[in-house]
Each structure stands twice: as structure tokens, then as C-alpha cells.
């Protein structure tokens, strides 16, 4: 066999390996998304009382006065947060950093829900998210401006430019590290 044929064969084998692992990861993510209604309904297993005593912990719901309501409220924040995390790790668009804004909002709301006195729930959320938004929104605008500047100077499609600007780490930890 010629050297070029061996390189071509090696590329084909690597492509099959990459597709095999992406099929597994994609199947796992699709399964997680598909079972989100079941995960959401886990709140029904929480007792409708103020104090929950187990062998592991004792939790008292002072604000909601019912752990059932607390669990329902938490699930209303945790499920969208889970879906946002899946979205940000699988998004291939140039604007995917904007997804950090709703992720920050949901994390802040979960912290507020778990706080003992909820007298200030959803009141100062904008002030906490404002620094995040002040970094992300101008960054997205600059990326967009750079994208359209390149689009006007060369004859590439928008998809070609998105592919050029998109950083795609190969491993899960690589994807996590690109955000921090």
C-alpha cells in the first residue's frame, strides 16, 4: 500500500472512532433530556410536611412550611438548569457564551430558594447578573462584528465562518475548562 492510502485509511478509522464516542455521548444526553419529566416528578416522593427526618439528615422548611412545595420549587429551577448545561456543552454556534446568563440566573434563584429567609427572592437578581452580562454581551457583539467583517471581506458562508470561530474541545474536561 502507498503511504497516502495508509494515511487515508488511518483517517477513516479515527473518524469511525470519533463517531462511535459521539454516538454514545449523544445517546446519553438524549436520554437525559427525554427523562426530564421523570426527574421533575421526583418532587412527588418528598413528604408534604414541614420537617423531614431521615437517617441521613433532618430538614425543616421554615419559609415554605412544606417540603413538597420546596421540592416542587427547586425542580422548577433545577430542570431548566440541567437543560441549559446540556445546551451550552453541545451548542456549536458562535453565541453559545450567552447561555451563561440564564445559567447564572437559575443558579442564583436556586441559592435564594435554599436560603433560610426568602424575603428578598428575585429582587436583587439583576444586580448579581449585571457583571456577568457586562462581560458576555459586549463579547458576543464583538464576535458578531468580527464575523460580519470577515463575511464582507471574503467569500465564505456564515456556516464556514462559525466553524472557523468555534472552539471545539475534544474531552468533557476540555469543554469545562474553556469556560473558566
Amino acid at each position: 500500500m502507498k503511504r497516502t492510502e495508509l494515511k487515508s485509511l488511518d483517517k477513516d478509522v479515527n473518524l469511525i472512532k470519533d463517531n462511535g464516542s459521539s454516538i454514545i455521548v449523544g445517546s446519553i444526553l438524549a436520554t437525559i433530556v427525554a427523562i426530564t419529566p421523570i426527574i421533575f416528578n421526583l418532587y412527588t416522593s418528598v413528604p408534604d410536611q414541614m420537617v423531614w427526618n431521615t437517617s441521613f439528615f433532618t430538614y425543616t422548611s421554615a419559609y415554605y412550611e412544606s417540603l413538597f412545595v420546596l421540592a416542587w420549587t427547586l425542580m422548577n429551577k433545577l430542570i431548566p438548569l440541567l437543560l441549559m448545561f446540556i445546551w451550552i456543552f453541545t451548542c456549536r454556534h458562535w453565541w453559545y457564551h450567552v447561555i451563561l446568563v440564564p445559567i447564572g440566573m437559575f443558579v442564583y434563584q436556586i441559592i435564594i430558594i435554599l436560603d433560610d429567609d426568602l424575603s428578598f427572592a428575585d429582587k436583587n437578581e439583576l444586580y448579581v447578573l449585571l457583571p456577568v452580562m457586562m462581560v458576555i454581551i459586549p463579547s458576543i457583539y464583538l464576535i458578531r462584528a468580527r464575523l460580519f467583517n470577515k463575511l464582507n471581506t471574503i467569500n465564505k458562508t456564515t456556516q464556514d465562518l462559525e466553524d472557523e470561530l468555534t472552539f471545539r474541545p475534544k474531552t468533557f474536561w476540555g469543554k469545562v475548562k474553556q469556560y473558566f
Side-chain angles (χ1 to χ4, degrees):
M1 287 184 133
K2 293 182 183 178
R3 188 175 270 202
T4 56
E5 290 173 353
L6 287 174
K7 286 182 182 179
S8 176
L9 183 62
D10 189 39
K11 286 181 184 178
D12 291 342
V13 170
N14 287 335
L15 183 63
I16 291 170
K17 286 180 185 175
D18 289 344
N19 285 341
S21 64
S22 68
I23 288 173
I24 293 170
V25 171
S27 298
I28 291 170
L29 291 175
T31 303
I32 291 171
V33 171
I35 65 170
T36 53
I38 295 168
I39 297 170
F40 175 78
N41 282 315
L42 288 176
Y43 77 90
T44 59
S45 64
V46 176
D48 191 10
Q49 56 194 29
M50 189 171 176
V51 179
W52 189 12
N53 289 318
T54 68
S55 59
F56 301 110
F57 62 89
T58 299
Y59 189 86
T60 303
S61 178
Y63 178 78
Y64 290 100
E65 297 180 0
S66 169
L67 288 161
F68 184 80
V69 174
L70 173 65
W72 178 80
T73 307
L74 273 175
M75 285 299 164
N76 276 309
K77 303 299 180 188
L78 288 172
I79 295 300
L81 181 64
L82 171 69
L83 295 173
M84 289 286 171
F85 273 120
I86 290 173
W87 189 15
I88 198 166
F89 284 119
T90 59
C91 187
R92 296 178 54 183
H93 297 287
W94 58 269
W95 49 263
Y96 68 96
H97 288 95
V98 175
I99 302 170
L100 289 172
V101 173
I103 285 175
M105 179 184 69
F106 283 120
V107 168
Y108 180 77
Q109 289 173 350
I110 289 168
I111 291 169
I112 294 300
I113 288 169
L114 294 175
D115 191 32
D116 289 333
D117 63 347
L118 292 170
S119 61
F120 58 94
D122 290 337
K123 291 183 182 175
N124 297 324
E125 179 178 311
L126 185 61
Y127 300 118
V128 173
L129 286 176
L130 198 59
V132 175
M133 292 168 54
M134 287 173 50
V135 171
I136 291 174
I137 292 172
S139 300
I140 296 303
Y141 177 75
L142 290 173
I143 291 172
R144 181 183 169 272
R146 213 171 85 191
L147 179 74
F148 284 108
N149 186 27
K150 284 189 175 190
L151 186 63
N152 290 334
T153 58
I154 53 176
N155 293 328
K156 284 188 176 180
T157 65
T158 307
Q159 185 63 41
D160 291 338
L161 291 172
E162 281 185 10
D163 291 341
E164 183 179 320
L165 292 173
T166 303
F167 172 69
R168 292 187 190 100
K170 299 293 182 196
T171 64
F172 174 75
W173 288 114
K175 290 181 182 184
V176 171
K177 286 179 185 177
Q178 87 183 46
Y179 296 107
F180 302 105

